[in-house]
Amino acid sequence: MNKKKEVIRTESVSKVYNPDTIPVHALREVSVRFDEGEFTSIVGPSGSGKTTLLNMIGGLDEPSSGQVFVHGQEITAMSDRERVAFRLEHIGFVFQYFNLIPVFTARENVSFVMFLQHRPEREIRERAEQLLVEMGLEEKMDSRPAEMSGGEQQRVAVARALASRPSFILADEPTANLDTVSAMNLLDMMARMNREEGVTFIFSTHDQRVIDRARRVIRMVDGAVESDEFREG
Amino acid sequence: MKTYLILAWRNCWRNRRRTWITISAIAFAVLLSILMQSLNRGSHDLLVENMARYSTGYLQIRDVRFEDDPSPDNAFEYGDAIEKEVLAMHPDVRMVIPRIQTFMLAADDEGTKGALVMGVDPEREQVLNGLMDQLVEGRFFSWKDGGSGNDGGSVNDGSSGIEPSEAVVSAGLAERMELAPGDTLALIGQGRFGMSASGLFVVSGIVKLPVVEMDRQTVYLSLPQARYLLSAEEHVTSLLLLPRHKRDTDDIAQTVRTKLAGTELTVATWEELMPDLLEFIKFDMAGSYVLSIILYVVIGFGFFGTVLTLTLERRREFGVLLSVGLKRRLLSLIIFLETLMVSVTGVLIGWLLTTGVLLYFVQNPIQLTGDLAESIMDYGWEPILPVSLDPGMFLSQGLIVFFLAVGISLYPMAKIARLKIIEASRS
Ligand SMILES: Nc1ncnc2c1ncn2[C@@H]1O[C@H](COP(=O)(O)OP(=O)(O)O)[C@@H](O)[C@H]1O
Ligand SMILES: [Mg+2]
């Protein structure tokens, strides 16, 4: 196996919430590295720090101590404004729920991030359609989120995350609100995009069926990495 | 920009009912405010207009001393030569209207009343104010009645038995003195430089004057007769200039003032001639402004409440938008656009409704009756509610709502500026 290219690296990242009142140690000295093309699941009981870790990697929150590097750039040293631009270029997000702009159709939601990136109109149109087709949503392109099932909405969210051609996609419990069929379907799509387009996926979950699909599983307990195992996909 | 506009517009309609309530409230405030102002202004404008047409003129030339001592002593010489001269002063002077006026006692068998005696040229007055159309009884004296001036027509105090001259009496005075056409009226007072002035006049007609203060006490004589009565054959107390358009007034005043510099004559505009009335109007308008402000404060709070709820409800959405890479500034812009769109829709609907209502009132003036009409007439108004269509009112209400919207948008903007993405996405 040849040496893979590093995408993300955290160095002793700790996060303490409410340090002045009742401190909550959400992350304790987490040092972890993610390489290009990974399909990694972060697992652990509720409250173990999965969301906090993803937020740190995504530049949505700042650690109490430690650093986060993306492509060797220290995002923890960036200004808020720089981070917004950085996120737009490099990171795709899929949240647990309420990912989409409710007044936009699927197509418009996917187009929106590319619009924010000032991509040419033609590219935006073509890529939005292509991604939605790949996600099996050709029928739903002009539907609004309220007219779609939870699974369909999450697939739109994945399409949107992919649209900006990010270095990696962070998905925080993307299947938590989905039934089994929809959850597996979403995972299939994510896995295929990972396989075919080499997109790096990092997702948190506590759903065993989802965990089984990951090629690397990082298990967290109490804000620390308890185990980190690679498996054959 | 188009995408943001679309996004903002669709966001406006996420909660249709709430948006419609807000829009209606704004439209209602705009409607009520403009209506209130319009009725106020309409009656003020009418009052001022009537004052100008029947009393002061839009602008008038008079002796500099007349303001402090409005007696025939301070009349000035007037004839064809001066008329030509004045008409030549400014191209927008359409015509000149000479008047000689003073206060006298009017007497009949019943008693005496104070009267404003005005010597006028009815044909010219007609152009300025339609005086002859105001006739409610009898007829107007014709210019020729007194045209020959001192001879024949008028009856000087000493002489009697010669057929008396004619006077047209205002309806209020006629009522107070129980005069009807055909009755005789004596006018007693002072002419120029202490000359006693008295004469007998037959009431030929009665006019209803829309300025109540004048309607109570005016006696119109023909100009030559009044001049003769006041021993001021060559004189007038004021020379009204009729501008082609009301808006020319100030321009004419400026020119004429310069041309009159160094003479004993001066020119005054209607604004300068009725300062008390204009002061009263300002005061009266203040009342409707206060009401309007209260209205907007109430509606502003309602609107603010809606925006407040909306901001709280959408915290998570804002968090998601910011995390996918939308700049805070742009998110603020979208929210501002939403507030603006709702406001603008409200204002437009308000304008439309107002225009409709006002046009209806123009076609069907509100006629007041009963005690209300009486008391309004006592103040000098006619008992109809005239409306003003001044576009300035529409604009100012629109601006108020605009600034209201800007003010209200500051709250969500401040929230967005300080929003912590992770906290927003946790809520
Ligand atoms: N904004 C916050 N303020 C205070 N405590 C927080 C905050 N966010 C997370 N926590 C706490 O940090 C710990 C880790 O939370 P989280 O990362 O959300 O866990 P997970 O996603 O694994 O359920 C929990 O104990 C949680 O209560
Ligand atoms: Mg979580």
Side-chain angles (χ1 to χ4, degrees), chain A residues 180-199:
Chain A
T180 310
V181 176
S182 305
M184 287 305 117
N185 190 289
L186 184 70
L187 255 289
D188 286 343
M189 302 285 177
M190 285 165 58
R192 206 179 77 224
M193 295 313 284
N194 171 259
R195 214 168 40 239
E196 291 174 2
E197 305 210 356
V199 187

Side-chain angles (χ1 to χ4, degrees), chain A residues 54-183:
Chain A
L54 289 178
N55 286 345
M56 295 298 152
I57 296 170
L60 297 179
D61 198 4
E62 292 175 21
S64 308
S65 66
Q67 295 125 331
V68 178
F69 297 88
V70 173
H71 292 310
Q73 273 182 280
E74 186 184 348
I75 61 166
T76 38
M78 289 178 184
S79 72
D80 189 66
R81 199 176 280 260
E82 288 169 324
R83 262 203 301 267
V84 172
F86 191 85
R87 274 202 301 271
L88 181 59
E89 287 312 313
H90 295 282
I91 312 173
F93 289 94
V94 178
F95 300 97
Q96 185 176 333
Y97 62 96
F98 203 91
N99 272 292
L100 306 176
I101 301 169
V103 295
F104 273 176
T105 61
R107 190 200 298 273
E108 287 165 335
N109 265 286
V110 175
S111 303
F112 190 61
V113 274
M114 293 187 277
F115 164 78
L116 292 178
Q117 290 177 316
H118 306 291
R119 296 283 173 91
E121 213 167 294
R122 182 146 166 262
E123 183 194 332
I124 294 178
R125 200 178 48 241
E126 286 173 359
R127 183 158 174 80
E129 270 181 29
Q130 176 212 331
L131 284 168
L132 287 167
V133 170
E134 279 173 26
M135 288 291 146
L137 290 165
E138 53 270 71
E139 307 280 300
K140 294 283 179 176
M141 287 206 206
D142 296 309
S143 303
R144 293 198 185 180
E147 299 153 1
M148 289 185 266
S149 72
E152 286 164 344
Q153 286 185 43
Q154 287 304 66
R155 277 186 275 153
V156 177
V158 172
R160 184 194 58 192
L162 286 163
S164 62
R165 300 185 192 279
S167 311
F168 56 92
I169 288 175
L170 299 175
D172 193 9
E173 313 225 16
T175 59
N177 290 339
L178 303 184
D179 59 73
T180 310
V181 176
S182 305

Side-chain angles (χ1 to χ4, degrees), chain A residues 17-18 24-27 44-53 61 172-173 204 206, chain B residues 422-423 426:
Chain A
Y17 288 111
N18 317 324
V24 180
H25 292 265
L27 289 180
S46 181
S48 56
K50 305 183 292 292
T51 298
T52 307
L53 179 60
D61 198 4
D172 193 9
E173 313 225 16
S204 72
H206 51 241
Chain B
I422 41 149
E423 278 167 22
R426 276 170 72 87

Side-chain angles (χ1 to χ4, degrees), chain B residues 145-193:
Chain B
D145 276 345
S148 43
N150 40 15
D151 55 67
S154 72
V155 176
N156 219 337
D157 50 342
S159 45
S160 62
I162 308 169
E163 58 174 308
S165 314
E166 290 176 331
V168 170
V169 179
S170 63
L173 183 65
E175 193 182 329
R176 293 197 302 144
M177 297 185 72
E178 294 179 8
L179 291 171
D183 289 353
T184 306
L185 172 73
L187 292 174
I188 306 140
Q190 232 176 28
R192 233 170 116 73
F193 300 122

Side-chain angles (χ1 to χ4, degrees), chain B residues 23-44:
Chain B
I23 287 177
S24 318
I26 291 170
F28 176 72
V30 168
L31 172 72
L32 228 60
S33 291
I34 300 183
L35 231 51
M36 214 153 53
Q37 269 192 35
S38 171
L39 287 171
N40 251 331
R41 269 200 217 190
S43 43
H44 292 152

Side-chain angles (χ1 to χ4, degrees), chain B residues 58-59 90 243 245-257 267-272:
Chain B
Y58 296 107
L59 66 173
H90 196 288
H245 299 286
K246 196 179 168 189
R247 59 167 186 272
D248 301 330
T249 303
D250 289 335
D251 190 40
I252 296 174
Q254 216 171 348
T255 310
V256 173
R257 189 166 290 138
V267 68
T269 65
W270 58 273
E271 280 170 305
E272 293 157 345

